[in-house]
């Protein structure tokens, strides 16, 4: 019996496509944001709040919506007058870089400076697939409980910015925000943590500034 | 949850490595995975039952080793293969 060392990253193919996507967008002066989080954490509401605010030029943004089966989130973006494309994974739990590459071929990117990927609601698999993004934003909310950073560390480890959403509901929960900050920083010390309420449209300044 | 995709990628990598190194039969595939990677050995081997049909890894088994030093988004490597 022979042992042959291989040492090849299993997701190499995806990473190669992601690198190609990243290069293409960078060359075009476009920033891509990968928005991750649990179903219901408020990713789409956050986009509505940010893209609906006066300081953001909606014509400079395109949204790639990832969802298992429906086009409901894309319809929410279209209602705001934002260019959008719906990717349906037909049950698959995450998006892969080649889906993004094809979506970019289909989107009209004229005048676009920011592309947002509103990823499939999932803390597990989405984190493992690089899409070619420049920035990862993870959305968590106070109603999910304090145990999530340690239960789903990969999202918190790979996010550049972690939003703690639904702060308007804090008083109705037993959520401990200090513990959340300490837990997230113990997994990823450079993560920028932002408290916000997408619904009340508060605490969104640092998210809005990503679009400027 | 995405073991089917991962399994297919592993099979492609192993087939290339086997051919490049003149292996005609692969018995074991060792995958190293970071502490936070979401990879289930039993599920991978379930998909392997289908993916390996008609290949040189007809009897192969995937072993997943945890490697604490792997960090970042994609924490999964095909470390080595064993065969004849
Ligand atoms: N109270 C409150 N509800 C919110 C907030 N953000 C989102 N929601 C609600 O949470 C639910 C899920 O939001 P949605 O944006 O669709 O979540 P997604 O699955 O992450 O896209 C909806 O009913 C939203 O109205 C918030 O900041 N506060
Ligand atoms: Mg949504």
């Amino acid at each position: 019996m022979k042992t042959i060392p291989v040492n090849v990253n299993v997701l190499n193919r995806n990473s190669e496509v992601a690198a190609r996507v990243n290069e293409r967008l960078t060359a075009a002066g476009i920033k891509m944001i990968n928005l991750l989080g649990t179903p219901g954490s408020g990713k789409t509401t956050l986009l509505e709040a940010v893209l609906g605010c006066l300081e953001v030029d909606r014509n400079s943004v395109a949204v790639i919506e990832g969802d298992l089966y429906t086009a409901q989130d894309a319809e929410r973006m279209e209602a705001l007058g934002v260019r959008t494309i719906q990717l349906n994974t037909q049950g698959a739990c995450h998006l892969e870089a080649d889906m993004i590459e094809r979506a970019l071929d289909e989107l009209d990117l004229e005048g676009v400076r920011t592309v947002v990927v509103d990823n499939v609601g999932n803390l597990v698999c989405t984190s493992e697939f690089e899409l070619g993004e420049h920035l990862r934003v993870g959305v968590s909310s106070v109603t999910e409980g304090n145990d999530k950073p340690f239960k789903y560390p990969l999202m918190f480890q790979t996010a550049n910015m972690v939003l703690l959403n639904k702060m308007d509901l804090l008083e109705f929960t037993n959520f401990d925000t200090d513990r959340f900050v300490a837990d997230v920083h113990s997994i990823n010390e450079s993560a920028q943590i932002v408290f916000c309420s997408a619904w009340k449209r508060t605490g969104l300044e640092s998210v809005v500034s990503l679009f400027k | 949850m995405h073991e089917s995709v991962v399994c297919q990628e592993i099979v492609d990598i192993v087939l290339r490595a086997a051919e490049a190194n003149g292996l005609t039969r692969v018995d074991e595939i060792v995958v190293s995975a970071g502490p936070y990677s979401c990879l289930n050995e039993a599920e991978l081997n379930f998909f392997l039952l289908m993916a390996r049909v008609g290949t040189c890894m007809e009897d192969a088994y995937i072993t997943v080793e945890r490697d604490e030093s792997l960090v970042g988004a994609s924490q999964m490597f095909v470390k080595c293969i064993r065969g004849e």
Side-chain angles (χ1 to χ4, degrees):
Chain A
M1 173 104 67
K2 282 195 277 188
T3 299
I4 310 284
V6 182
N7 294 322
V8 173
N9 192 319
V10 172
L11 298 180
N12 243 359
R13 203 187 52 79
N14 183 73
S15 302
E16 280 165 22
V17 181
R20 205 155 68 209
V21 166
N22 186 279
E23 240 169 72
R24 167 178 172 184
L25 290 171
T26 307
I30 299 172
K31 174 164 72 182
M32 186 159 89
I33 300 172
N34 187 356
L35 196 59
L36 308 173
T38 27
S41 55
K43 299 177 295 299
T44 310
T45 307
L46 176 84
L47 279 178
E48 287 172 324
V50 169
L51 300 179
C53 95
L54 293 173
E55 296 148 77
V56 174
D57 172 14
R58 270 177 250 180
N59 295 318
S60 73
V61 180
V63 177
I64 299 174
E65 285 288 348
D67 188 67
L68 271 63
Y69 307 107
T70 80
Q72 295 186 34
D73 285 352
E75 284 157 15
R76 287 164 68 179
M77 290 302 115
E78 273 160 12
L80 281 171
V82 174
R83 259 176 269 191
T84 178
I85 186 165
Q86 179 72 53
L87 298 180
N88 283 133
T89 61
Q90 305 301 339
C93 48
H94 61 271
L95 296 175
E96 293 179 32
D98 52 5
M99 301 175 182
I100 302 300
E101 191 168 50
R102 285 197 300 271
L104 291 175
D105 288 339
E106 276 179 48
L107 270 170
D108 169 16
L109 293 174
E110 185 66 38
V112 168
R113 287 176 52 211
T114 315
V115 171
V116 184
V117 180
D118 188 1
N119 216 316
V120 180
N122 183 331
L123 285 180
V124 184
C125 310
T126 50
S127 314
E128 261 177 332
F129 290 82
E130 295 165 11
L131 302 179
E133 68 267 28
H134 298 86
L135 203 74
R136 266 190 192 202
V137 177
V139 185
S140 206
S141 61
V142 299
T143 51
E144 291 165 38
N146 264 113
D147 54 354
K148 296 306 169 290
F150 287 135
K151 279 193 173 171
Y152 303 96
L154 196 60
M155 186 198 87
F156 295 93
Q157 191 194 52
T158 59
N160 305 96
M161 184 185 270
V162 173
L163 304 184
L164 181 62
N165 190 31
K166 308 197 186 180
M167 283 296 284
D168 58 294
L169 299 179
L170 186 64
E171 61 178 305
F172 305 107
T173 71
N174 60 356
F175 197 88
D176 179 342
T177 53
D178 292 340
R179 186 178 143 203
F180 181 78
V181 171
D183 289 351
V184 171
H185 279 156
S186 79
I187 297 168
N188 174 1
E189 57 184 6
S190 61
Q192 182 187 357
I193 302 176
V194 175
F195 294 170
C196 65
S197 167
W199 178 247
K200 298 284 180 199
R201 306 199 170 194
T202 55
L204 296 174
E205 297 77 10
S206 43
V207 186
V208 168
S209 65
L210 297 177
F211 289 83
K212 284 184 184 163
Chain B
M1 274 172 93
H2 48 258
E3 273 78 356
S4 65
V5 181
V6 168
C7 184
Q8 197 53 56
E9 297 289 339
I10 290 174
V11 167
D12 291 345
I13 292 167
V14 172
L15 288 178
R16 264 183 273 129
E19 197 185 312
N21 291 281
L23 292 190
T24 52
R25 205 187 77 222
V26 175
D27 297 310
E28 191 186 2
I29 301 155
V30 180
V31 171
S32 42
Y36 299 154
S37 83
C38 320
L39 204 56
N40 181 293
E41 185 174 300
E43 234 181 286
L44 266 186
N45 280 289
F46 172 75
F47 286 110
L48 186 66
L49 293 178
M50 291 164 268
R52 69 189 184 182
V53 172
T55 72
C56 66
M57 55 183 100
E58 203 87 61
D59 295 311
Y61 187 82
I62 301 175
T63 307
V64 179
E65 287 179 0
R66 294 288 155 187
D67 179 345
E68 296 291 322
S69 68
L70 296 175
V71 293
S74 42
Q75 314 182 333
M76 295 174 270
F77 285 78
V78 177
K79 189 178 171 193
C80 63
I81 55 177
R82 297 201 175 93
E84 299 296 342

